[in-house]
């Protein structure tokens, strides 16, 4: 009998689970998020550092108190994120929060994301005295390699700086260059709202700063896009220029391609044909040392060693390569980023 009891004890006794410390007793609730290694092990064989992770959920508990949930403010300002220890605050950018449904989309900077094992972090809410989220929270979400990050969830009217740059570089864009008839329309995006261009719209940032030079040996352009049909004419998605040279991420009608072109200088590289229209696609160009790589939906679509133009860009365009607009884009853009590193 004694032996039987001992065996039962060994098989059925489980030590109590050790919970992470609580950030601050002023916050009443928290959710735990777990990133399984099956989700990130194929992305990189090394640890990702200062990595922005997208939290994209709808949870009735995240409705505001006035709507039956536990978030104290309809703005969501009492929502904060911490590391796995439960106490170290993380930088984050809340792209959207809907208090009536508990839907939230937030980018959270994870300091270290190993490619093996599970990684956890926490979201706290329910503090009626929480301070407003700071601009620094959002800017700190994007590490120093990010030169411009556009969420594109705003509704523009031609006001300077209306399409916010989430980084600290201040490259927020203006719809239509200030002309109301050339401002794109807020539409459904891949993440939050995106900007719908119908062939005569653009966004522009003049006097842009902290951008990679046209010939920088390490740089990345990326954007999500959706088109109703693949273009029968040249159409520009993302352009960096100084008016005489630059880089144009665009469709090209003559050869039915999509890729990177040089301002007045021809092809850098392109995929032999664009992916099917009518759905969202993730388009990325990188330049590393002497190698250009084009990725479509995360897969390499083309490579080249074509040299880039020289020069320092001071303007960013989405949807055109100037304010006329010329070679305008027809479709929707979302989540556009420019980096001074060649991302893997």
């Amino acid at each position: 009998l004694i032996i039987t009891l001992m065996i039962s004890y060994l098989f059925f006794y489980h030590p109590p689970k050790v919970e992470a410390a609580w950030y601050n007793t002023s916050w009443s609730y928290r959710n735990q998020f777990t990133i399984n290694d099956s989700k990130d092990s194929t992305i990189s064989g090394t640890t990702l550092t200062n990595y922005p992770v997208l939290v994209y959920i709808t949870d009735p508990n995240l409705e505001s108190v006035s709507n039956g949930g536990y978030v104290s403010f309809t703005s969501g300002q009492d929502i904060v994120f911490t590391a796995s220890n439960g106490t170290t605050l993380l930088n984050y950018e809340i792209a959207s929060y809907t208090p009536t449904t508990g839907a939230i989309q937030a980018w959270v900077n994870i300091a270290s994301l190993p490619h093996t094992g599970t990684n956890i972090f926490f979201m706290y809410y329910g503090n009626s005295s929480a301070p407003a989220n700071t601009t620094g929270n959002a800017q700190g979400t994007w590490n120093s390699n990010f030169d411009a990050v556009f969420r594109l969830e705003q509704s523009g009217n031609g006001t300077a700086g209306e399409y916010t740059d989430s980084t600290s570089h201040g490259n927020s864009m203006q719809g239509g260059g200030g002309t109301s008839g050339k401002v794109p329309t807020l539409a459904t995006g891949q993440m939050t709202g995106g900007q719908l261009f119908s062939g005569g719209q653009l966004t522009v940032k003049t006097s842009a700063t902290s951008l990679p030079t046209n010939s920088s040996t390490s740089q990345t352009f990326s954007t999500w896009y959706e088109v109703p049909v693949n273009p029968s004419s040249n159409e520009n998605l993302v352009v960096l220029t100084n008016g005489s040279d630059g880089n144009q991420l665009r469709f090209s009608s003559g050869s039915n391609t999509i890729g990177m072109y040089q301002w007045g200088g021809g092809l850098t590289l392109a995929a032999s044909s664009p992916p099917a229209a009518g759905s969202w696609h993730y388009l990325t160009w990188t330049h590393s040392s002497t190698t250009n790589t084009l990725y479509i939906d995360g897969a390499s679509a083309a490579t080249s060693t074509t040299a880039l133009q020289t020069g320092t860009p001071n303007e960013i365009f989405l949807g055109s390569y100037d304010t006329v607009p010329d070679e305008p884009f027809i479709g929707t853009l979302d989540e556009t980023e420019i980096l001074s590193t060649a991302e893997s």
Side-chain angles (χ1 to χ4, degrees), residues 82-149:
T82 73
S84 58
N85 61 10
T87 58
T88 301
L89 280 176
L90 300 177
N91 285 317
Y92 59 94
E93 178 184 7
I94 296 179
S96 69
Y97 168 65
T98 307
T100 55
T101 64
I104 185 170
Q105 298 183 46
W107 293 93
V108 183
N109 186 291
I110 306 298
S112 179
L113 188 59
H115 69 283
T116 58
T118 57
N119 303 273
I120 69 171
F121 61 99
F122 294 97
M123 174 175 64
Y124 288 82
Y125 51 97
N127 178 3
S128 59
S129 60
N133 297 327
T134 67
T135 302
N137 287 139
Q139 293 176 350
T141 305
W142 308 96
N143 66 52
S144 59
N145 291 324
F146 289 90
D147 299 315
V149 172

Side-chain angles (χ1 to χ4, degrees), residues 278-316:
S279 59
W280 283 96
H281 297 287
Y282 184 48
L283 181 66
T284 303
W285 166 74
T286 68
H287 184 73
S288 177
S289 184
T290 60
T291 301
N292 302 285
T293 306
L294 186 75
Y295 299 92
I296 298 177
D297 297 332
S300 177
T303 60
S304 81
T305 56
T306 303
L308 303 179
Q309 294 176 319
T310 60
T312 302
N314 55 17
E315 292 184 303
I316 308 170

Side-chain angles (χ1 to χ4, degrees), residues 27-94:
W27 274 263
S28 300
Y29 308 96
R30 76 178 180 189
N31 288 359
Q32 176 179 310
F33 294 94
T34 302
I35 304 172
N36 296 315
D37 56 7
S38 63
K39 298 298 184 184
D40 57 19
S41 61
T42 58
I43 297 173
S44 173
T46 60
T47 296
L48 302 173
T49 58
N50 293 322
Y51 192 80
V53 170
L54 178 64
V55 172
Y56 189 179
I57 61 170
T58 299
D59 181 350
N61 289 336
L62 297 178
E63 295 172 4
S64 67
V65 170
S66 57
N67 287 289
Y70 302 111
V71 175
S72 296
F73 292 88
T74 56
S75 65
Q77 72 182 53
D78 54 313
I79 297 173
V80 298
F81 294 86
T82 73
S84 58
N85 61 10
T87 58
T88 301
L89 280 176
L90 300 177
N91 285 317
Y92 59 94
E93 178 184 7
I94 296 179

Side-chain angles (χ1 to χ4, degrees), residues 7-272:
I7 291 174
S8 299
Y9 177 83
L10 291 173
F11 273 95
F12 296 109
Y13 171 74
H14 299 285
K17 183 179 179 180
V18 178
E19 296 287 348
W22 200 268
Y23 166 59
N24 186 310
T25 55
S26 295
W27 274 263
S28 300
Y29 308 96
R30 76 178 180 189
N31 288 359
Q32 176 179 310
F33 294 94
T34 302
I35 304 172
N36 296 315
D37 56 7
S38 63
K39 298 298 184 184
D40 57 19
S41 61
T42 58
I43 297 173
S44 173
T46 60
T47 296
L48 302 173
T49 58
N50 293 322
Y51 192 80
V53 170
L54 178 64
V55 172
Y56 189 179
I57 61 170
T58 299
D59 181 350
N61 289 336
L62 297 178
E63 295 172 4
S64 67
V65 170
S66 57
N67 287 289
Y70 302 111
V71 175
S72 296
F73 292 88
T74 56
S75 65
Q77 72 182 53
D78 54 313
I79 297 173
V80 298
F81 294 86
T82 73
S84 58
N85 61 10
T87 58
T88 301
L89 280 176
L90 300 177
N91 285 317
Y92 59 94
E93 178 184 7
I94 296 179
S96 69
Y97 168 65
T98 307
T100 55
T101 64
I104 185 170
Q105 298 183 46
W107 293 93
V108 183
N109 186 291
I110 306 298
S112 179
L113 188 59
H115 69 283
T116 58
T118 57
N119 303 273
I120 69 171
F121 61 99
F122 294 97
M123 174 175 64
Y124 288 82
Y125 51 97
N127 178 3
S128 59
S129 60
N133 297 327
T134 67
T135 302
N137 287 139
Q139 293 176 350
T141 305
W142 308 96
N143 66 52
S144 59
N145 291 324
F146 289 90
D147 299 315
V149 172
F150 302 108
R151 300 275 71 81
L152 299 179
E153 77 272 20
Q154 296 85 14
S155 182
N157 58 18
T159 303
E162 60 194 353
Y163 298 106
T164 305
D165 171 19
S166 295
T167 76
S168 61
H169 300 303
N171 288 319
S172 297
M173 307 185 81
Q174 180 179 25
T179 302
S180 59
K182 298 180 181 180
V183 178
T185 304
L186 179 64
T188 301
Q190 169 66 4
M191 310 296 184
T192 56
Q195 295 301 313
L196 174 63
F197 300 79
S198 56
Q201 296 78 39
L202 66 134
T203 68
V204 59
K205 170 59 181 179
T206 57
S207 302
T209 61
S210 302
L211 300 176
T213 64
N214 294 334
S215 59
S216 290
T217 56
S218 295
Q219 54 183 308
T220 298
F221 290 22
S222 71
T223 191
W224 283 89
Y225 79 90
E226 182 183 40
V227 291
V229 294
N230 280 321
S232 58
S233 59
N234 296 343
E235 297 188 11
N236 286 271
L237 288 78
V238 184
V239 178
L240 262 61
T241 181
N242 58 21
S244 60
D245 53 56
N247 293 313
Q248 301 170 252
L249 194 60
R250 77 171 202 194
F251 288 93
S252 180
S253 62
S255 53
N256 189 34
T257 60
I258 185 171
M260 182 60 73
Y261 293 76
Q262 298 181 22
W263 185 282
L267 175 67
T268 300
L269 86 166
S272 57

